[in-house]
Amino acid sequence: MDSSANPNNTQDNMEGNEDEGMSTRSANNNKGKRKGDDNGDSAKSHKKLQTRSWVWDHYTRKDGDDNQCKCHYCKRFFACSTKSGTSNLKKHLDCCKQYLAWKGRNSQNVINQEGKLQDGKVSEEVFREATNEMLVLAQLPLSFVESVAWKHLCSKANLYKPHSRRTATRDILLMNMARKASLKDLVSANKRRVSLTTDIWTAQATGASYMVITVHFIDEYWRLRKFNIGFKYITDHKGATISRVLLECLTEWGIERIFTITVDNATANTSALRKFQRALQSQRADSLVLNGEFMHMRCAAHIINLIVKEGLHKLGDHVEAIRNGVLYVRSSTSRCDSFEQKVVTGKMTRGSLPLDVKTRWNSTYLMLTKAIKFKMAFDKMEVEDKLYND
């Protein structure tokens, strides 16, 4: 009765009880909260901590206590302080009988393409590695793993959550270092003798020159293997530069014994391989076969290209006329439509009239063989189209 008669006493008692409740909850929850959290507002819900480790797929934090978590399989509680990491949780999964039994039920052995047994259930590590290999093999941008399409596929196929582009970048760099180390051991194993091919490529956009070096050898299973061991920037096409880059690349990979080196039939390559032979023989006596007499091999494809270009040079006026005719037809959509109306052999497609590359004889051959099929259409254009004659 006294309390109801005095509203101030009621308010004081309520405030006192509320303060005691807040202090009690603050003492219980202060241990599991990070520094800087607001402990005075009881109306705010408990903030859920963000997790990044894979172990949280198998554990759940205790309600109201972020320092305790429960295993999904044996139902035991473990300490999981945010400052201590998850090492103890990983160790428990290695010896948890219920988890190992669950893992065994959800995996089975299958035979892969190489005839070996492997787990039928794909782990998250394998999925992540396969995703990185897909980016490299398909030459996709790193942002593809964060795209809506890839996330939709992973969700639709019930796969794991895709990783970020930063993680993909780090994994690809580590994968490249590991692959390079394994290839280096494979190439330099037993000091086997290898063959090399090299060529220089010039970028049209920047004018910079790059030298590609490929190694060829036969492994222990009698399979012909080849790998690109160098993509080097060079300042010029001189023989001294080519020889120096070759020696530096072989030293980087630990290659000491050479069988042959195949290059284009150019004067700079002849001078480069002469200097390369002297430098390599000074390092090791058995580095070359027969004292390097057959080390320098001329590229047969380049020689055939020179022969065909010399033959086409005598027919240069005729080839140039056909090239101009094809270029005229392909120069605009209206001309292509007008030419298609004169075609009687069938409807034209996108690759009906390809334009050749002057330095590649096989593209010139393709242009000539395609143009022969439309000889009557070109004859009609000669009669009806005055600009074509000009």
Side-chain angles (χ1 to χ4, degrees):
M1 297 293 293
D2 294 338
S3 61
S4 61
N6 190 355
N8 293 331
N9 293 336
T10 305
Q11 183 176 1
D12 294 339
N13 293 334
M14 292 176 62
E15 291 179 353
N17 295 333
E18 185 178 0
D19 293 339
E20 291 178 1
M22 290 176 61
S23 61
T24 303
R25 288 191 296 270
S26 176
N28 293 333
N29 298 335
N30 188 35
K31 185 177 178 181
K33 290 192 175 183
R34 298 181 179 177
K35 185 178 180 180
D37 289 344
D38 188 7
N39 298 327
D41 191 2
S42 60
K44 291 185 177 180
S45 60
H46 187 72
K47 184 178 180 181
K48 186 178 180 181
L49 296 179
Q50 294 183 355
T51 58
R52 292 179 294 179
S53 178
W54 60 271
V55 300
W56 295 111
D57 295 335
H58 310 282
Y59 291 90
T60 301
R61 292 188 185 272
K62 186 177 180 180
D63 293 338
D65 189 0
D66 292 334
N67 294 331
Q68 295 288 328
C69 63
K70 182 175 67 173
C71 177
H72 293 174
Y73 310 98
C74 63
K75 309 302 180 182
R76 293 173 56 188
F77 285 91
F78 298 90
C80 58
S81 176
T82 56
K83 298 181 180 179
S84 301
T86 57
S87 300
N88 62 322
L89 304 181
K90 296 177 182 178
K91 291 180 181 179
H92 169 70
L93 291 179
D94 293 336
C95 60
C96 181
K97 295 182 179 180
Q98 290 82 354
Y99 168 72
L100 296 177
W102 172 86
K103 186 178 180 181
R105 289 194 302 266
N106 287 272
S107 63
Q108 60 181 354
N109 292 331
V110 296
I111 301 177
N112 57 15
Q113 295 180 353
E114 299 178 357
K116 299 180 181 179
L117 288 176
Q118 67 177 17
D119 292 336
K121 178 179 173 59
V122 179
S123 62
E124 187 174 3
E125 290 77 10
V126 176
F127 168 75
R128 182 167 160 179
E129 181 181 3
T131 302
N132 297 328
E133 292 175 350
M134 176 191 66
L135 295 176
V136 176
L137 294 176
Q139 299 181 3
L140 296 173
L142 295 175
S143 59
F144 179 78
V145 294
E146 297 180 351
S147 64
V148 178
W150 180 242
K151 291 180 179 179
H152 174 73
L153 174 64
C154 296
S155 176
K156 195 80 172 179
N158 196 20
L159 299 176
Y160 298 96
K161 181 180 178 181
H163 51 284
S164 63
R165 71 178 75 182
R166 293 185 177 180
T167 304
T169 303
R170 183 173 62 253
D171 291 347
I172 291 175
L173 290 177
L174 294 176
M175 182 175 60
N176 178 56
M177 295 174 60
R179 291 290 182 90
K180 185 176 181 179
S182 62
L183 289 179
K184 185 176 180 180
D185 295 338
L186 179 63
V187 171
S188 60
N190 301 324
K191 302 297 180 182
R192 67 179 74 206
R193 198 177 295 276
V194 300
S195 297
L196 301 176
T197 56
T198 180
D199 195 10
I200 297 177
W201 170 72
T202 303
Q204 296 181 356
T206 61
S209 298
Y210 300 91
M211 183 175 175
V212 182
I213 304 170
T214 307
V215 62
H216 308 259
F217 63 93
I218 298 177
D219 62 6
E220 61 272 15
Y221 300 105
W222 289 93
R223 294 179 301 180
L224 179 61
R225 309 289 295 275
K226 66 174 183 177
F227 303 105
N228 291 332
I229 61 175
F231 192 83
K232 308 292 184 179
Y233 168 76
I234 58 175
T235 56
D236 52 62
H237 295 198
K238 296 181 180 179
T241 304
I242 298 175
S243 175
R244 176 179 55 80
V245 174
L246 274 175
L247 289 172
E248 292 176 354
C249 185
L250 296 185
T251 303
E252 178 184 355
W253 287 82
I255 299 176
E256 299 178 353
R257 305 176 67 193
I258 301 297
F259 185 61
T260 60
I261 300 180
T262 304
V263 293
D264 289 345
N265 191 18
T267 306
N269 289 331
T270 304
S271 173
L273 293 188
R274 191 182 300 115
K275 297 177 181 178
F276 173 81
Q277 179 179 350
R278 291 196 298 265
L280 194 62
Q281 286 179 329
S282 63
Q283 297 178 3
R284 182 167 176 168
D286 62 341
S287 58
L288 299 174
V289 178
L290 297 177
N291 201 24
E293 183 178 355
F294 301 102
M295 181 196 72
H296 184 189
M297 300 295 295
R298 271 73 176 179
C299 180
H302 187 256
I303 294 175
I304 294 175
N305 186 40
L306 295 176
I307 294 173
V308 176
K309 286 177 62 178
E310 185 66 23
L312 292 176
H313 181 70
K314 297 182 179 180
L315 304 174
D317 296 338
H318 304 285
V319 176
E320 187 68 23
I322 297 176
R323 182 181 295 115
N324 291 336
V326 174
L327 184 61
Y328 176 83
V329 174
R330 291 165 52 96
S331 60
S332 66
T333 306
S334 59
R335 292 177 180 177
C336 187
D337 295 339
S338 176
F339 183 82
E340 187 174 0
Q341 295 176 1
K342 300 177 177 61
V343 173
V344 295
T345 58
K347 186 176 181 180
M348 290 183 59
T349 60
R350 184 175 181 181
S352 297
L353 279 178
L355 189 63
D356 70 329
V357 180
K358 296 182 180 180
T359 57
R360 298 180 58 183
W361 66 269
N362 53 343
S363 65
T364 304
Y365 172 78
L366 180 62
M367 181 189 68
L368 295 177
T369 53
K370 293 288 185 178
I372 289 176
K373 299 179 181 180
F374 303 103
K375 182 178 181 299
M376 296 182 61
F378 281 110
D379 293 339
K380 291 182 180 179
M381 288 193 65
E382 185 177 1
V383 176
E384 300 175 3
D385 196 334
K386 183 179 183 300
L387 293 176
Y388 176 77
N389 293 329
D390 295 338

